[in-house]
């Protein structure tokens, strides 16, 4: 269920959501950094981590401040990580994409909350190789809170709940069994507990059918990520960013991809 908007209003709202997303991206980067540094996530002003210079309002404008400052602190010229810039840009684009796909609706709000948590998961897992349980729990709460507004009727709610619980059991349970088998075969921890819980939570959102696409996309993204980003580094690579990206991809365009695939399959079989 979404409220129909005239084309101009749609474009206007997409731009507003891009700006909102860019601000949210800035907040997520800052919150993730503070979480990793074991500082209070919500309190305190933003500072340069090197010289402690408190950032002015102008230095806090998402995307643009990084460009104007040419990626360096105004006070001590130490580099500001380029990922701040990219997270802000990516979050802005994601917010606009969610709005353009799901319109002025509760589903949009639901996915904006979920995607924000997933971006934090990706950043924190990249830095610490751990996924905070709080973020996975947050996703589960969002699913339950939006169950009725997303479904729109009691019948649809029951269907969505059934499919979601099945998705959580199959993809959470499936990855748990797989990780135990792989741990046993390789004699070391392969998939972390955080990854398994994250798959379970995301199974709620994807349900049974789209969940398969999420798992497949996660494996491909994980492989590409392991090959490119961690090239030359012997450290283990975190799987969370790949899962987060794949889940967002699945929820945004999964339905279309599955339909296209089935159509192709049908064409090949019955031509
Ligand atoms: Zn500084």
């Amino acid at each position: 269920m979404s409220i129909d908007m005239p084309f101009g209003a749609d474009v206007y709202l997409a731009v507003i959501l891009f700006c909102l997303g860019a601000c949210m991206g800035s907040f997520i980067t800052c919150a993730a950094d503070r979480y990793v540094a074991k500082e209070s996530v919500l309190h305190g002003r933003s500072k340069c981590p090197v010289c402690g210079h408190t950032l002015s309002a102008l230095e806090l404008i998402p995307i643009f401040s990084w460009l104007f400052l040419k990626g360096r602190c105004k006070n001590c010229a130490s580099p500001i990580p380029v990922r701040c810039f990219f997270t802000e840009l990516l979050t802005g684009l994601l917010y606009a994409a969610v709005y353009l796909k799901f319109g002025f609706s509760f589903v949009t709000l639901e996915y904006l909350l979920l995607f924000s948590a997933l971006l934090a998961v990706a950043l924190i897992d990249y830095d610490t190789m751990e996924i905070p349980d709080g973020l996975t729990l947050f996703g589960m709460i969002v699913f339950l809170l939006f169950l009725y507004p997303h479904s729109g009727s009691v019948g649809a709610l029951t269907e969505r709940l059934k499919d979601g619980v099945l998705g959580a059991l199959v993809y959470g349970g499936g990855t748990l069994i797989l990780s135990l088998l792989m741990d046993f075969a390789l004699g070391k921890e392969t998939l972390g507990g955080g990854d398994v819980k994250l798959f379970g939570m995301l199974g709620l959102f994807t349900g049974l059918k789209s969940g398969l696409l999420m798992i497949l996309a996660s494996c491909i993204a994980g492989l590409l990520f392991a090959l490119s980003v961690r090239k030359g580094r012997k450290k283990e690579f975190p799987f969370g960013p790949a899962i987060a990206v794949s889940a967002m991809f699945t929820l945004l365009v999964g339905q279309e991809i599955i339909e296209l695939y089935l159509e192709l399959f049908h064409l090949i079989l019955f031509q």
Side-chain angles (χ1 to χ4, degrees):
M1 279 193 304
S2 77
I3 297 170
D4 276 339
M5 293 289 211
F7 178 72
D10 257 346
V11 173
Y12 174 73
L13 278 170
V15 172
I16 295 279
L17 273 159
F18 174 83
C19 298
L20 195 72
C23 295
M24 196 60 188
S26 172
F27 170 74
I28 293 169
T29 315
C30 175
D33 285 348
R34 287 185 184 184
Y35 177 86
V36 171
K38 297 196 166 36
E39 290 170 11
S40 163
V41 171
L42 295 175
H43 296 104
R45 304 259 326 251
S46 293
K47 284 187 240 166
C48 164
V50 179
C51 68
H53 157 69
T54 305
L55 302 185
S56 66
L58 275 177
E59 288 165 274
L60 284 170
I61 301 172
I63 302 172
F64 291 103
S65 65
W66 192 92
L67 291 174
F68 288 144
L69 296 166
K70 298 191 180 74
R72 296 198 167 269
C73 167
K74 202 168 111 186
N75 192 43
C76 70
S78 57
I80 306 166
V82 73
R83 85 170 193 187
C84 298
F85 170 75
F86 280 113
T87 311
E88 288 161 3
L89 186 64
L90 180 74
T91 317
L93 290 173
L94 272 173
Y95 269 45
V98 169
Y99 173 72
L100 290 173
K101 174 78 200 260
F102 299 103
F104 197 79
S105 67
F106 279 113
V107 182
T108 293
L109 187 58
E110 179 185 13
Y111 286 170
L112 292 185
L113 291 169
L114 176 70
F115 285 17
S116 303
L118 285 176
L119 286 163
V121 162
L123 292 176
I124 293 173
D125 195 29
Y126 183 81
D127 284 340
T128 65
M129 299 282 298
E130 262 176 48
I131 297 170
D133 282 340
L135 287 171
T136 309
L137 186 68
F138 175 79
M140 293 170 75
I141 294 171
V142 168
F143 175 79
L144 290 174
L145 274 181
F146 283 84
L147 202 49
Y148 184 74
H150 187 131
S151 316
S153 71
V154 178
L157 181 151
T158 320
E159 276 308 304
R160 182 166 163 78
L161 186 62
K162 254 199 277 182
D163 192 33
V165 171
L166 215 56
L169 287 176
V170 168
Y171 299 114
T175 43
L176 176 66
I177 293 169
L178 188 72
S179 77
L180 290 176
L181 287 174
M182 274 173 25
D183 290 359
F184 181 71
L186 299 172
K188 60 171 185 171
E189 194 186 16
T190 47
L191 210 61
D195 299 325
V196 171
K197 285 180 245 176
L198 185 64
F199 269 131
M201 180 272 275
L202 290 167
L204 287 173
F205 287 92
T206 61
L208 204 53
K209 204 162 77 180
S210 301
L212 201 59
L213 180 68
M214 172 181 69
I215 296 276
L216 199 70
S218 298
C219 294
I220 296 171
L223 202 67
L224 290 176
F225 188 61
L227 287 175
S228 61
V229 181
R230 293 276 154 147
K231 213 175 184 176
R233 285 199 230 171
K234 278 206 173 134
K235 231 174 115 188
E236 292 171 305
F237 82 96
F239 199 27
I243 303 174
V245 168
S246 308
M248 294 192 264
F249 170 77
T250 303
L251 292 173
L252 272 176
V253 290
Q255 206 58 42
E256 285 78 0
I257 294 209
I258 291 171
E259 272 162 28
L260 195 73
Y261 177 78
L262 290 177
E263 230 166 77
L264 273 175
F265 195 67
H266 195 260
L267 261 179
I268 292 166
L269 272 184
F270 302 104
Q271 64 174 341

